[in-house]
Amino acid sequence: DVKVTQSSRYLVKRTGEKVFLECVQDMDHENMFWYRQDPGLGLRLIYFSYDVKMKEKGDIPEGYSVSREKKERFSLILESASTNQTSMYLCASSTPGTGTYEQYFGPGTRLTVT
Amino acid sequence: AQKITQTQPGMFVQEKEAVTLDCTYDTSDPSYGLFWYKQPSSGEMIFLIYQGSYDQQNATEGRYSLNFQKARKSANLVISASQLGDSAMYFCAMREEGTYKYIFGTGTRLKVLA
């Protein structure tokens, strides 16, 4: 079974703090993604990576950066957390090997910025 | 521009009955994939079913089937014999061939009644 894990289920941070969200997958998937999920807005792509050290901006990259130093790990960084970044963050991975590219998701991190 | 529309924010269904969750999409690419995901209250997104744009048959996976009407650009999810455990948020998503990006709808919250 594909397993995607995220470092925290719940996180509370203060405005201005630097925040690291970690995601690890154990199935050797090439592609990894970070989304944020807000009520009524569905999932919006922040960043994705299709290879180690490669990254592409998604639809809402402002205020975020990412790091992928190893194939299995994809980190999301909030350089200076703000209250409008309070959200649910979901990490996902996929591989062309399945032919359908379905994504496998982690359990999510609910981040509150106060 | 790519877009996924789910017009039903919430739905109720009686246990053991069938239910259809609507999804329409917009794309100018002739090659794409359509996905449905389930998100229980625990938060983890679970892949349910996939339909490729060139697939001749509607996809089926157990109690899930995808009613794919290409000319109408619709990809409705049909759940047969609903169970209490089907109560969850359901998301429709699309990926165009040759891209890594997925577009998600805003979701439909399904409640199965005993």
Side-chain angles (χ1 to χ4, degrees):
Chain A
D1 265 2
V2 177
K3 195 153 179 72
V4 181
T5 56
Q6 295 183 228
S7 49
S8 306
R9 289 302 302 270
Y10 299 94
L11 209 52
V12 180
K13 295 291 181 181
R14 293 199 180 275
T15 301
E17 279 192 81
K18 191 167 186 175
V19 181
F20 293 87
L21 302 183
E22 304 284 339
C23 175
V24 177
Q25 50 94 5
D26 66 359
M27 286 302 290
D28 204 36
H29 282 181
E30 294 82 355
N31 308 323
M32 296 188 75
F33 307 80
W34 275 107
Y35 294 92
R36 66 175 280 175
Q37 182 181 6
D38 300 289
L41 297 178
L43 276 71
R44 292 180 292 166
L45 181 64
I46 304 172
Y47 268 96
F48 65 97
S49 168
Y50 51 89
D51 202 351
V52 175
K53 297 191 187 294
M54 305 304 288
K55 59 187 178 185
E56 293 279 345
K57 292 180 180 178
D59 299 315
I60 52 164
E62 297 77 20
Y64 304 94
S65 63
V66 290
S67 172
R68 194 169 181 199
E69 297 296 318
K70 292 185 177 181
K71 191 175 184 180
E72 67 270 18
R73 188 180 296 270
F74 193 35
S75 303
L76 180 70
I77 303 151
L78 286 66
E79 297 290 344
S80 176
S82 64
T83 54
N84 63 14
Q85 292 178 311
T86 291
S87 188
M88 170 73 103
Y89 290 87
L90 293 169
C91 175
S93 71
S94 72
T95 178
T98 62
T100 55
Y101 290 82
E102 71 271 20
Q103 293 183 306
Y104 294 87
F105 285 82
T109 295
R110 190 167 292 282
L111 173 67
T112 303
V113 183
T114 61
Chain B
Q2 310 165 48
K3 190 174 181 182
I4 294 281
T5 303
Q6 294 181 255
T7 57
Q8 306 153 314
M11 288 191 71
F12 292 94
V13 65
Q14 208 64 40
E15 197 178 6
K16 298 178 186 172
E17 291 187 354
V19 63
T20 298
L21 306 183
D22 294 342
C23 172
T24 58
Y25 60 92
D26 191 17
T27 179
S28 55
D29 196 314
S31 183
Y32 49 89
L34 296 157
F35 306 81
W36 277 93
Y37 290 87
K38 173 184 179 181
Q39 187 180 41
S41 56
S42 59
E44 188 167 338
M45 300 272 285
I46 302 164
F47 166 66
L48 294 178
I49 195 166
Y50 167 84
Q51 180 84 40
S53 59
Y54 291 118
D55 293 343
Q56 296 296 313
Q57 307 261 21
N58 285 346
T60 60
E61 288 287 347
R63 292 185 301 109
Y64 304 108
S65 61
L66 201 153
N67 184 0
F68 181 47
Q69 298 188 41
K70 195 169 181 177
R72 298 178 63 182
K73 293 190 174 178
S74 77
N76 299 339
L77 178 71
V78 180
I79 306 175
S80 63
S82 296
Q83 301 172 355
L84 296 177
D86 294 333
S87 294
M89 195 76 167
Y90 289 82
F91 290 94
C92 181
M94 176 176 67
R95 186 189 74 90
E96 291 179 343
E97 188 69 25
T99 75
Y100 297 99
K101 286 182 62 174
Y102 300 71
I103 304 298
F104 284 80
T106 52
T108 295
R109 186 171 298 280
L110 177 68
K111 175 74 174 173
V112 180
L113 304 173

